[in-house]
Amino acid sequence: MKRSLIILPLLVACASAPDKTQQANTKPQIASANPYSVESKSIPVGAIPAATLHDSQRNKDLELSIEYPTHEGPYPVVIFSPGYGSSRSDYVGLSAFWASHGYVVIKPSHADAGALRDTMRERVEEQRTERRGRNRRPEPQQQPPQAYRPEPAEQWTSQTPADWRNRVADVELIIDSIPKLIEQYPEIKERVDANRIGVGGHSYGAFTALLIGGVRTSNGTIFTDPRVKAIEAMSPPGPSSDHGLDNDSFATLHVPTLFLTGSRDFGATETEDVTWRRHSFALSPAGDKWFVSIAGAGRSSFTGRMTEPIFAPQPGTAPYPTNRPPVGGVYPQQPMPSQRGPVPLRDVGYTNTVRTISLAFWDAYLKSDNAGREYLNKLRERGDLEVATK
């Protein structure tokens, strides 16, 4: 099992040297005047990139990663379910950000992890071919509208109710096994608060999170886990027979929930757009429900995969060191965007917006932090967001 201490220097804001009183306090003051700004204080993050849990009932091993604040806790636990084809090694820009602000973040590799490797290689090659074709064209020409091309990771209609149950069972296995993880990894012993658990997810992972939060499938199955105190659903699905969801499915979702999407957050078909995703919020019962749509944001805004300038690995490298350094070793600092080629500022802005809104929601509902609630309430003042609550 691999473990490493990851120091994320680009997350830590520059500050003046602390006095002796501050140095004696092992619990840093995370919040600044605006705890959700890019310059806000953060905690160095440690990681256990390759842990394994065995489920005797299903006779399977579940691989997962754990990111945690290196300072004394305890901290709430966030279990994040990746999208279709993604794994514990993805979404590092999001999970490490949460960990740096006081959360123990656990990401499993579900059974579908890696299912899209060949498809994504083909898509990248197609894009390269298209760019080469444009470069050879002597003058810009008016092009006919391109046919809608769905994102491969949104096409998880091949997944069956048995697959849905297995994803939920993965999350429940993690919750059940928190004492075992603490025993296996003493570095998180004083940092885990198992009484404050949130579950988040993206796309298929959002579906997984909603199921464990109480959403009922069209055949009447409910997977509610009362230990889960809050849900974040990024790119949430609306009613769809392919996903086993109808208009009544969301009526049993009583846990506080953030539905987060964007105006360009398209699904497997042209009809699966932001309006379709909004139905998951509209059809859920009132009580601590938040819907936020970010103008211009698309699927990659929630993954950080294509637009992440801080945490994304360089091409051909793993998100974490393959050969872990000794305990206390330092994770290599990532190159700045200018060293890796241009990164569109608007894409970085979308990613940062996702981070700060999601962090404020966790703070409000897992830490009962008034600053989180105040930040969420002020979102209505922003012109780039559509916000609804009930």
Side-chain angles (χ1 to χ4, degrees), residues 304-319:
R305 183 176 300 152
M306 300 301 293
T307 60
E308 180 51 61
I310 296 176
F311 298 99
Q314 298 185 59
T317 64

Side-chain angles (χ1 to χ4, degrees), residues 94 234 260-265 292-304 307-309 343-358 375 382 384-385:
L94 192 59
M234 301 180 181
L260 190 57
T261 184
S263 62
R264 297 188 57 79
D265 190 7
V292 180
S293 176
I294 306 167
R299 187 179 191 280
S300 63
S301 305
F302 305 98
T303 65
T307 60
E308 180 51 61
V343 176
L345 291 178
R346 65 176 186 178
D347 290 341
V348 175
Y350 297 149
T351 302
N352 285 336
T353 299
V354 170
R355 286 180 187 157
T356 53
I357 293 174
S358 60
Y375 185 85
R382 292 180 49 168
D384 61 330
L385 303 177

Side-chain angles (χ1 to χ4, degrees), residues 29-49:
Q29 297 299 316
I30 300 174
S32 62
N34 178 5
Y36 305 105
S37 68
V38 176
E39 295 81 14
S40 64
K41 294 181 180 179
S42 60
I43 305 171
V45 174
I48 302 163

Side-chain angles (χ1 to χ4, degrees), residues 130-143:
E130 290 173 359
R131 285 196 295 269
R132 286 195 293 267
R134 287 195 297 267
N135 292 338
R136 287 195 298 266
R137 191 177 298 122
E139 295 181 1
Q141 299 178 10
Q142 186 68 31
Q143 297 296 312

Side-chain angles (χ1 to χ4, degrees), residues 147-293:
Y148 177 77
R149 184 167 63 178
E151 166 63 44
E154 291 290 337
Q155 296 178 287
W156 44 277
T157 54
S158 61
Q159 296 288 284
T160 67
D163 296 315
W164 309 339
R165 286 194 297 271
N166 274 321
R167 272 182 158 247
V168 172
D170 288 346
V171 176
E172 290 184 327
L173 174 64
I174 293 172
I175 298 175
D176 293 339
S177 303
I178 287 176
K180 183 184 294 185
L181 290 171
I182 292 174
E183 182 181 350
Q184 289 178 332
Y185 303 101
E187 56 263 52
I188 65 173
K189 182 176 181 179
E190 302 299 329
R191 295 173 175 84
V192 173
D193 184 350
N195 294 316
R196 295 183 291 171
I197 297 175
V199 176
H202 176 229
S203 185
Y204 193 10
F207 175 72
T208 306
L210 291 170
L211 288 180
I212 204 166
V215 165
R216 179 180 57 218
T217 61
S218 53
N219 64 4
T221 304
I222 299 180
F223 301 100
T224 306
D225 191 318
R227 295 171 294 182
V228 177
K229 307 303 181 185
I231 295 292
E232 288 193 0
M234 301 180 181
S235 302
S240 167
S241 58
D242 289 334
H243 303 328
L245 299 174
D246 55 32
N247 288 344
D248 297 324
S249 292
F250 302 92
T252 49
L253 180 66
H254 298 292
V255 67
T257 304
L258 170 66
F259 303 86
L260 190 57
T261 184
S263 62
R264 297 188 57 79
D265 190 7
F266 301 113
T269 68
E270 290 183 87
T271 59
E272 294 184 359
D273 57 8
V274 63
T275 301
W276 173 70
R277 297 192 189 281
R278 197 182 197 280
H279 288 322
S280 57
F281 164 79
L283 295 170
S284 64
D288 295 308
K289 302 299 192 306
W290 292 80
F291 171 84
V292 180
S293 176

Side-chain angles (χ1 to χ4, degrees), residues 5 71 74 84 95 104 120 186 210 240 244 247 249 324 330 335 352 360:
L5 180 63
H71 290 294
Y84 180 63
S95 57
V104 176
M120 295 309 294
L210 291 170
S240 167
N247 288 344
S249 292
R324 69 178 179 87
V330 177
N352 285 336

